[in-house]
Amino acid sequence: MTVIDEVLEANEIYARTHELRPLGLKTGDAHIIRNAGGIVTDDSLRSLLVSHYLLETQEFMVINHTDCGLMHATEQELRTRIQNRAGTAAVAPAFFYAFQNIEENVQHQLQKLRTHPWIPREVAVRGFVYDVVSGRLREIKAF
């Protein structure tokens, strides 16, 4: 049985007793856009703009987490590792956005959002680091 098969089996068991319950959020209140490193890429930016302009989302929350895998290698180390395992080079992705300092990474992502001309100043843009050991969110202030 593959891991995906296990997920489907667990979902079937879950779905038998699932019921839609109010959580204090309405449709469109929260959109989760997840990628490796919590990076504001063109695609995540596209999703945030759709969320704001079509669904009127008024707050963006960037969350990185401690012990992120992208903190453990440089761009070149990642590219070399992947090329060696795949046995070939590729032109995309152009960058993996590896980083060493999680606070600086969050600050850079906040800067990308706050300086984008299509994100209105009144949209709240805040950044956090989630500590995987304690479970707590710590706010990171912009530069």
Side-chain angles (χ1 to χ4, degrees):
M1 178 180 289
T2 69
V3 173
I4 293 173
D5 291 331
E6 290 176 16
V7 168
L8 292 172
E9 188 175 284
N11 175 254
E12 181 58 37
I13 294 166
Y14 168 78
R16 289 179 195 151
T17 59
H18 171 73
E19 62 181 82
L20 189 58
R21 288 168 267 186
L23 297 174
L25 294 174
K26 298 179 291 305
T27 300
D29 280 353
H31 298 168
I32 298 170
I33 303 164
R34 183 176 174 153
N35 65 23
I39 305 299
V40 176
T41 61
D42 285 348
D43 192 57
S44 60
L45 179 60
R46 177 190 64 83
S47 295
L48 289 169
L49 291 169
V50 167
S51 181
H52 173 69
Y53 285 100
L54 293 183
L55 301 171
E56 300 184 20
T57 302
Q58 297 298 314
E59 299 180 53
F60 297 162
M61 187 176 183
V62 174
I63 304 174
N64 281 201
H65 66 85
T66 57
D67 200 31
C68 177
L70 281 176
M71 294 175 64
H72 301 293
T74 65
E75 284 288 318
Q76 188 56 51
E77 288 168 343
L78 278 167
R79 187 161 303 285
T80 300
R81 183 181 305 174
I82 292 169
Q83 286 176 334
N84 288 343
R85 290 192 61 190
T88 186
V91 295
F95 300 101
F96 290 100
Y97 302 99
F99 58 92
Q100 306 303 306
N101 183 306
I102 196 165
E103 288 84 6
E104 285 179 9
N105 186 57
V106 171
Q107 289 171 330
H108 287 170
Q109 306 321 307
L110 294 175
Q111 184 177 25
K112 288 181 199 177
L113 294 172
R114 288 184 174 149
T115 60
H116 196 281
W118 287 353
I119 297 177
R121 298 271 180 244
E122 58 269 14
V123 170
V125 178
R126 296 169 63 188
F128 300 85
V129 171
Y130 173 76
D131 187 307
V132 298
V133 174
S134 71
R136 295 199 187 287
L137 285 170
R138 177 172 48 91
E139 187 157 10
I140 303 299
K141 300 297 182 188
F143 291 120

PDB file of all heavy atoms in Angstrom, residues 26-50:
ATOM      1  N   LYS A  26     -15.559  32.508   7.850  1.00  0.00           N
ATOM      2  CA  LYS A  26     -16.492  32.312   6.752  1.00  0.00           C
ATOM      3  C   LYS A  26     -15.696  31.996   5.493  1.00  0.00           C
ATOM      4  O   LYS A  26     -14.498  32.250   5.425  1.00  0.00           O
ATOM      5  CB  LYS A  26     -17.336  33.568   6.547  1.00  0.00           C
ATOM      6  CG  LYS A  26     -18.213  33.932   7.745  1.00  0.00           C
ATOM      7  CD  LYS A  26     -19.007  35.199   7.514  1.00  0.00           C
ATOM      8  CE  LYS A  26     -18.227  36.466   7.447  1.00  0.00           C
ATOM      9  NZ  LYS A  26     -17.348  36.854   8.509  1.00  0.00           N
ATOM     10  N   THR A  27     -16.370  31.476   4.486  1.00  0.00           N
ATOM     11  CA  THR A  27     -15.718  31.204   3.219  1.00  0.00           C
ATOM     12  C   THR A  27     -15.028  32.467   2.724  1.00  0.00           C
ATOM     13  O   THR A  27     -15.621  33.537   2.692  1.00  0.00           O
ATOM     14  CB  THR A  27     -16.747  30.724   2.178  1.00  0.00           C
ATOM     15  OG1 THR A  27     -17.359  29.534   2.681  1.00  0.00           O
ATOM     16  CG2 THR A  27     -16.086  30.442   0.846  1.00  0.00           C
ATOM     17  N   GLY A  28     -13.753  32.326   2.377  1.00  0.00           N
ATOM     18  CA  GLY A  28     -12.972  33.469   1.900  1.00  0.00           C
ATOM     19  C   GLY A  28     -12.212  34.205   2.990  1.00  0.00           C
ATOM     20  O   GLY A  28     -11.392  35.067   2.685  1.00  0.00           O
ATOM     21  N   ASP A  29     -12.480  33.883   4.271  1.00  0.00           N
ATOM     22  CA  ASP A  29     -11.774  34.570   5.356  1.00  0.00           C
ATOM     23  C   ASP A  29     -10.299  34.185   5.426  1.00  0.00           C
ATOM     24  O   ASP A  29      -9.462  35.003   5.792  1.00  0.00           O
ATOM     25  CB  ASP A  29     -12.417  34.257   6.717  1.00  0.00           C
ATOM     26  CG  ASP A  29     -13.654  35.090   6.970  1.00  0.00           C
ATOM     27  OD1 ASP A  29     -13.943  35.989   6.166  1.00  0.00           O
ATOM     28  OD2 ASP A  29     -14.334  34.834   7.976  1.00  0.00           O
ATOM     29  N   ALA A  30      -9.986  32.944   5.127  1.00  0.00           N
ATOM     30  CA  ALA A  30      -8.600  32.489   5.221  1.00  0.00           C
ATOM     31  C   ALA A  30      -8.271  31.617   4.019  1.00  0.00           C
ATOM     32  O   ALA A  30      -9.033  30.724   3.672  1.00  0.00           O
ATOM     33  CB  ALA A  30      -8.400  31.698   6.508  1.00  0.00           C
ATOM     34  N   HIS A  31      -7.152  31.921   3.409  1.00  0.00           N
ATOM     35  CA  HIS A  31      -6.640  31.114   2.305  1.00  0.00           C
ATOM     36  C   HIS A  31      -5.237  30.691   2.678  1.00  0.00           C
ATOM     37  O   HIS A  31      -4.407  31.533   3.026  1.00  0.00           O
ATOM     38  CB  HIS A  31      -6.611  31.898   0.998  1.00  0.00           C
ATOM     39  CG  HIS A  31      -7.969  32.328   0.565  1.00  0.00           C
ATOM     40  ND1 HIS A  31      -8.169  33.233  -0.438  1.00  0.00           N
ATOM     41  CD2 HIS A  31      -9.195  31.976   0.981  1.00  0.00           C
ATOM     42  CE1 HIS A  31      -9.460  33.422  -0.615  1.00  0.00           C
ATOM     43  NE2 HIS A  31     -10.094  32.676   0.259  1.00  0.00           N
ATOM     44  N   ILE A  32      -4.974  29.415   2.601  1.00  0.00           N
ATOM     45  CA  ILE A  32      -3.650  28.912   2.925  1.00  0.00           C
ATOM     46  C   ILE A  32      -2.912  28.644   1.619  1.00  0.00           C
ATOM     47  O   ILE A  32      -3.383  27.870   0.789  1.00  0.00           O
ATOM     48  CB  ILE A  32      -3.738  27.638   3.785  1.00  0.00           C
ATOM     49  CG1 ILE A  32      -4.438  27.970   5.092  1.00  0.00           C
ATOM     50  CG2 ILE A  32      -2.350  27.055   4.010  1.00  0.00           C
ATOM     51  CD1 ILE A  32      -4.806  26.780   5.931  1.00  0.00           C
ATOM     52  N   ILE A  33      -1.799  29.317   1.452  1.00  0.00           N
ATOM     53  CA  ILE A  33      -0.961  29.146   0.279  1.00  0.00           C
ATOM     54  C   ILE A  33       0.382  28.671   0.807  1.00  0.00           C
ATOM     55  O   ILE A  33       1.104  29.432   1.456  1.00  0.00           O
ATOM     56  CB  ILE A  33      -0.813  30.471  -0.505  1.00  0.00           C
ATOM     57  CG1 ILE A  33      -2.194  30.992  -0.891  1.00  0.00           C
ATOM     58  CG2 ILE A  33       0.085  30.270  -1.721  1.00  0.00           C
ATOM     59  CD1 ILE A  33      -2.214  32.438  -1.311  1.00  0.00           C
ATOM     60  N   ARG A  34       0.684  27.428   0.568  1.00  0.00           N
ATOM     61  CA  ARG A  34       1.868  26.829   1.178  1.00  0.00           C
ATOM     62  C   ARG A  34       2.884  26.444   0.118  1.00  0.00           C
ATOM     63  O   ARG A  34       2.521  25.880  -0.915  1.00  0.00           O
ATOM     64  CB  ARG A  34       1.438  25.595   1.969  1.00  0.00           C
ATOM     65  CG  ARG A  34       2.566  24.951   2.703  1.00  0.00           C
ATOM     66  CD  ARG A  34       2.090  23.800   3.532  1.00  0.00           C
ATOM     67  NE  ARG A  34       3.256  23.144   4.082  1.00  0.00           N
ATOM     68  CZ  ARG A  34       3.265  22.465   5.192  1.00  0.00           C
ATOM     69  NH1 ARG A  34       2.154  22.301   5.859  1.00  0.00           N
ATOM     70  NH2 ARG A  34       4.362  21.905   5.620  1.00  0.00           N
ATOM     71  N   ASN A  35       4.135  26.750   0.403  1.00  0.00           N
ATOM     72  CA  ASN A  35       5.214  26.282  -0.451  1.00  0.00           C
ATOM     73  C   ASN A  35       6.472  26.132   0.390  1.00  0.00           C
ATOM     74  O   ASN A  35       6.527  26.582   1.540  1.00  0.00           O
ATOM     75  CB  ASN A  35       5.431  27.206  -1.658  1.00  0.00           C
ATOM     76  CG  ASN A  35       5.907  28.595  -1.286  1.00  0.00           C
ATOM     77  OD1 ASN A  35       6.472  28.828  -0.229  1.00  0.00           O
ATOM     78  ND2 ASN A  35       5.677  29.546  -2.167  1.00  0.00           N
ATOM     79  N   ALA A  36       7.470  25.495  -0.160  1.00  0.00           N
ATOM     80  CA  ALA A  36       8.726  25.274   0.555  1.00  0.00           C
ATOM     81  C   ALA A  36       9.370  26.621   0.872  1.00  0.00           C
ATOM     82  O   ALA A  36       9.616  27.429  -0.019  1.00  0.00           O
ATOM     83  CB  ALA A  36       9.671  24.416  -0.280  1.00  0.00           C
ATOM     84  N   GLY A  37       9.604  26.875   2.139  1.00  0.00           N
ATOM     85  CA  GLY A  37      10.280  28.092   2.571  1.00  0.00           C
ATOM     86  C   GLY A  37       9.383  29.281   2.826  1.00  0.00           C
ATOM     87  O   GLY A  37       9.858  30.327   3.242  1.00  0.00           O
ATOM     88  N   GLY A  38       8.079  29.150   2.581  1.00  0.00           N
ATOM     89  CA  GLY A  38       7.187  30.291   2.782  1.00  0.00           C
ATOM     90  C   GLY A  38       7.583  31.470   1.918  1.00  0.00           C
ATOM     91  O   GLY A  38       7.572  32.618   2.356  1.00  0.00           O
ATOM     92  N   ILE A  39       7.925  31.202   0.672  1.00  0.00           N
ATOM     93  CA  ILE A  39       8.460  32.215  -0.235  1.00  0.00           C
ATOM     94  C   ILE A  39       7.330  32.857  -1.037  1.00  0.00           C
ATOM     95  O   ILE A  39       6.440  32.177  -1.541  1.00  0.00           O
ATOM     96  CB  ILE A  39       9.482  31.579  -1.211  1.00  0.00           C
ATOM     97  CG1 ILE A  39      10.587  30.840  -0.450  1.00  0.00           C
ATOM     98  CG2 ILE A  39      10.056  32.620  -2.158  1.00  0.00           C
ATOM     99  CD1 ILE A  39      11.428  31.689   0.463  1.00  0.00           C
ATOM    100  N   VAL A  40       7.383  34.179  -1.168  1.00  0.00           N
ATOM    101  CA  VAL A  40       6.435  34.894  -2.015  1.00  0.00           C
ATOM    102  C   VAL A  40       6.937  34.761  -3.449  1.00  0.00           C
ATOM    103  O   VAL A  40       7.758  35.541  -3.910  1.00  0.00           O
ATOM    104  CB  VAL A  40       6.288  36.369  -1.592  1.00  0.00           C
ATOM    105  CG1 VAL A  40       5.358  37.104  -2.554  1.00  0.00           C
ATOM    106  CG2 VAL A  40       5.764  36.461  -0.164  1.00  0.00           C
ATOM    107  N   THR A  41       6.456  33.738  -4.130  1.00  0.00           N
ATOM    108  CA  THR A  41       6.799  33.495  -5.529  1.00  0.00           C
ATOM    109  C   THR A  41       5.755  34.177  -6.409  1.00  0.00           C
ATOM    110  O   THR A  41       4.738  34.675  -5.915  1.00  0.00           O
ATOM    111  CB  THR A  41       6.795  31.994  -5.831  1.00  0.00           C
ATOM    112  OG1 THR A  41       5.470  31.498  -5.588  1.00  0.00           O
ATOM    113  CG2 THR A  41       7.809  31.251  -4.971  1.00  0.00           C
ATOM    114  N   ASP A  42       5.976  34.164  -7.707  1.00  0.00           N
ATOM    115  CA  ASP A  42       4.980  34.717  -8.625  1.00  0.00           C
ATOM    116  C   ASP A  42       3.638  34.033  -8.448  1.00  0.00           C
ATOM    117  O   ASP A  42       2.589  34.684  -8.479  1.00  0.00           O
ATOM    118  CB  ASP A  42       5.437  34.575 -10.079  1.00  0.00           C
ATOM    119  CG  ASP A  42       6.528  35.569 -10.457  1.00  0.00           C
ATOM    120  OD1 ASP A  42       6.771  36.516  -9.685  1.00  0.00           O
ATOM    121  OD2 ASP A  42       7.130  35.389 -11.524  1.00  0.00           O
ATOM    122  N   ASP A  43       3.645  32.714  -8.245  1.00  0.00           N
ATOM    123  CA  ASP A  43       2.376  32.010  -8.122  1.00  0.00           C
ATOM    124  C   ASP A  43       1.677  32.294  -6.798  1.00  0.00           C
ATOM    125  O   ASP A  43       0.454  32.460  -6.760  1.00  0.00           O
ATOM    126  CB  ASP A  43       2.560  30.503  -8.300  1.00  0.00           C
ATOM    127  CG  ASP A  43       1.226  29.816  -8.463  1.00  0.00           C
ATOM    128  OD1 ASP A  43       0.473  30.188  -9.395  1.00  0.00           O
ATOM    129  OD2 ASP A  43       0.905  28.934  -7.646  1.00  0.00           O
ATOM    130  N   SER A  44       2.426  32.375  -5.695  1.00  0.00           N
ATOM    131  CA  SER A  44       1.770  32.705  -4.430  1.00  0.00           C
ATOM    132  C   SER A  44       1.264  34.143  -4.455  1.00  0.00           C
ATOM    133  O   SER A  44       0.184  34.443  -3.927  1.00  0.00           O
ATOM    134  CB  SER A  44       2.684  32.450  -3.228  1.00  0.00           C
ATOM    135  OG  SER A  44       3.855  33.217  -3.303  1.00  0.00           O
ATOM    136  N   LEU A  45       2.009  35.035  -5.094  1.00  0.00           N
ATOM    137  CA  LEU A  45       1.557  36.416  -5.245  1.00  0.00           C
ATOM    138  C   LEU A  45       0.267  36.458  -6.067  1.00  0.00           C
ATOM    139  O   LEU A  45      -0.679  37.164  -5.719  1.00  0.00           O
ATOM    140  CB  LEU A  45       2.641  37.266  -5.905  1.00  0.00           C
ATOM    141  CG  LEU A  45       2.290  38.721  -6.151  1.00  0.00           C
ATOM    142  CD1 LEU A  45       1.975  39.442  -4.847  1.00  0.00           C
ATOM    143  CD2 LEU A  45       3.433  39.410  -6.880  1.00  0.00           C
ATOM    144  N   ARG A  46       0.226  35.688  -7.140  1.00  0.00           N
ATOM    145  CA  ARG A  46      -0.984  35.604  -7.966  1.00  0.00           C
ATOM    146  C   ARG A  46      -2.174  35.171  -7.114  1.00  0.00           C
ATOM    147  O   ARG A  46      -3.252  35.774  -7.173  1.00  0.00           O
ATOM    148  CB  ARG A  46      -0.765  34.597  -9.106  1.00  0.00           C
ATOM    149  CG  ARG A  46      -1.969  34.381  -9.990  1.00  0.00           C
ATOM    150  CD  ARG A  46      -1.757  33.195 -10.925  1.00  0.00           C
ATOM    151  NE  ARG A  46      -1.608  31.930 -10.226  1.00  0.00           N
ATOM    152  CZ  ARG A  46      -2.644  31.184  -9.801  1.00  0.00           C
ATOM    153  NH1 ARG A  46      -3.877  31.565 -10.012  1.00  0.00           N
ATOM    154  NH2 ARG A  46      -2.417  30.048  -9.186  1.00  0.00           N
ATOM    155  N   SER A  47      -1.989  34.165  -6.295  1.00  0.00           N
ATOM    156  CA  SER A  47      -3.076  33.670  -5.450  1.00  0.00           C
ATOM    157  C   SER A  47      -3.520  34.713  -4.429  1.00  0.00           C
ATOM    158  O   SER A  47      -4.718  34.856  -4.157  1.00  0.00           O
ATOM    159  CB  SER A  47      -2.638  32.390  -4.736  1.00  0.00           C
ATOM    160  OG  SER A  47      -2.416  31.365  -5.671  1.00  0.00           O
ATOM    161  N   LEU A  48      -2.571  35.440  -3.851  1.00  0.00           N
ATOM    162  CA  LEU A  48      -2.924  36.483  -2.889  1.00  0.00           C
ATOM    163  C   LEU A  48      -3.699  37.619  -3.557  1.00  0.00           C
ATOM    164  O   LEU A  48      -4.652  38.156  -2.985  1.00  0.00           O
ATOM    165  CB  LEU A  48      -1.673  37.029  -2.208  1.00  0.00           C
ATOM    166  CG  LEU A  48      -1.000  36.079  -1.223  1.00  0.00           C
ATOM    167  CD1 LEU A  48       0.364  36.615  -0.814  1.00  0.00           C
ATOM    168  CD2 LEU A  48      -1.879  35.838  -0.009  1.00  0.00           C
ATOM    169  N   LEU A  49      -3.309  37.985  -4.755  1.00  0.00           N
ATOM    170  CA  LEU A  49      -4.020  39.040  -5.474  1.00  0.00           C
ATOM    171  C   LEU A  49      -5.442  38.606  -5.818  1.00  0.00           C
ATOM    172  O   LEU A  49      -6.389  39.384  -5.668  1.00  0.00           O
ATOM    173  CB  LEU A  49      -3.251  39.440  -6.733  1.00  0.00           C
ATOM    174  CG  LEU A  49      -1.929  40.171  -6.472  1.00  0.00           C
ATOM    175  CD1 LEU A  49      -1.117  40.285  -7.752  1.00  0.00           C
ATOM    176  CD2 LEU A  49      -2.165  41.516  -5.827  1.00  0.00           C
ATOM    177  N   VAL A  50      -5.606  37.366  -6.254  1.00  0.00           N
ATOM    178  CA  VAL A  50      -6.952  36.833  -6.520  1.00  0.00           C
ATOM    179  C   VAL A  50      -7.768  36.861  -5.236  1.00  0.00           C
ATOM    180  O   VAL A  50      -8.929  37.284  -5.223  1.00  0.00           O
ATOM    181  CB  VAL A  50      -6.869  35.401  -7.096  1.00  0.00           C
ATOM    182  CG1 VAL A  50      -8.232  34.727  -7.079  1.00  0.00           C
ATOM    183  CG2 VAL A  50      -6.309  35.434  -8.515  1.00  0.00           C
TER     184      VAL A  50
END
